[in-house]
């Protein structure tokens, strides 16, 4: 079913993000974790897509299996870095054949270390190009896009980032999933500014429960988001005293509090980054009692 229709029927909700394990040997354990997460009754589950190759075929297969075997409604991430129109069209046709109805239209990450990155194809320079391409040729899909409560690292100003976010919606995107963030005020401000620009689609906040210092350092280095200094010091202190278990306890408590505040502030739901592990998300969903 299309996510835009699902959101109209049920709020608040929990949704989940998975990434496709690279090695086939890991798939069994992956689907076991996914099976456990049925208890959360997610409105949809998103499956990431490796920019520039690698895990693209896996995304399709994992998403189809999550739909047909686990009973989840998948949202497939689709990036345009390095893609031609023919390849995107063929991939969309394959998704359609597999019963996928929802796409998160993304440009994709720059190659590592390339801050002044320019897209390497003329046809799809930005996510907005993929949105308009899909609206023209594949109108049956429900299309979401990424949004950035802390502006995208390549945006010169907050105003420009918001203007391009609005542009993606004007091209036909129907909802926004945000980059992870740790300060609820950033989400409230982001949604408020979009509303003031007459952008009124659902904005689903992306929440990462921190499980270890190593993983949060790595993830922040990839996505350009930041963590409040006070919270980070608390995590470091916990790591010194109690190791990974103490860090994840604080991370979990913080994520639950963040979700509660977001739902109170009017977020339609919360999108939890699972990192392919069930326990933290089961705990959060249980506490939220949605
Ligand atoms: P765009 O919307 O194209 O924005 C990129 C930059 O260009 C921004 O600064 C924006 O303000 C500006 N801009 C946007 N449109 C225009 C325009 N028309 N003209 C000029 N400037 C413009 N990456 C992956 O590789 N795989 C994934 O599965 C994946 N999943 C993600 C899921 C979420 C929820 C989020 C938030 C990000 C995800 N990413 C993923 C990362 C994403 O690909 C990167 O953040 C990427 O650098 C930007 O993608 P975008 O779709 O936001 O790009």
């Amino acid at each position: 079913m299309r996510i835009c229709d699902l959101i109209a029927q049920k709020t608040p909700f929990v949704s989940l993000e998975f990434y496709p394990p690279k090695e086939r040997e890991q798939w069994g354990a992956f689907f076991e974790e996914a099976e456990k997460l049925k208890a959360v009754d997610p409105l949809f589950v998103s499956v990431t897509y490796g920019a520039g190759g690698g895990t693209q075929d896996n995304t399709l297969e994992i998403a189809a299996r999550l739909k047909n075997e686990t009973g989840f409604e998948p949202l497939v991430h689709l990036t345009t870095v390095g893609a031609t129109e023919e390849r995107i069209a063929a991939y969309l046709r394959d998704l359609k054949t597999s019963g996928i109805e929802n796409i998160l239209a993304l440009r994709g990450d720059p190659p590592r270390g390339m801050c002044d990155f320019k897209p390497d194809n003329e046809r799809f320079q930005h996510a907005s190009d993929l949105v308009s391409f899909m609206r023209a040729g594949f109108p049956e899909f429900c299309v979401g896009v990424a949004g950035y409560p802390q502006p995208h690292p390549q945006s010169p100003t907050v105003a420009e980032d918001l203007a391009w976010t609005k542009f993606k919606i004007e091209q036909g995107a129907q909802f926004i999933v945000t980059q992870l963030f740790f300060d609820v005020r950033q989400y409230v401000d982001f949604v408020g500014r979009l509303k003031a620009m007459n952008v009124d689609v659902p904005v689903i906040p992306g929440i990462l429960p921190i499980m270890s210092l190593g993983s949060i350092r790595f993830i922040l280095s990839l996505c350009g988001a930041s963590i409040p200094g006070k919270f980070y010091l608390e995590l470091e202190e916990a790591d010194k005293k109690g190791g990974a278990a103490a860090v994840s306890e604080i991370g979990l408590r913080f994520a639950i509090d963040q979700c509660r505040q977001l739902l109170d502030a009017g977020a339609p739901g919360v999108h939890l980054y699972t990192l392919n592990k069930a326990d933290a998300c089961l705990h959060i969903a249980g506490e939220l009692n949605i």
Side-chain angles (χ1 to χ4, degrees), residues 86-101:
E86 292 71 32
R87 209 175 89 202
I88 293 282
Y91 192 71
L92 287 168
R93 282 194 293 273
D94 286 347
L95 289 171
K96 217 168 116 178
T97 308
S98 301
I100 306 296
E101 295 178 79

Side-chain angles (χ1 to χ4, degrees), residues 8-9 50 56 108 110 113 118 137 144 169 185 189 220 231 240 279:
Q9 285 172 18
Q56 301 177 348
K118 295 268 183 305
I169 302 304
R185 289 171 304 180
D189 188 55
L220 292 179
F231 179 38
K240 270 188 221 141
D279 285 354

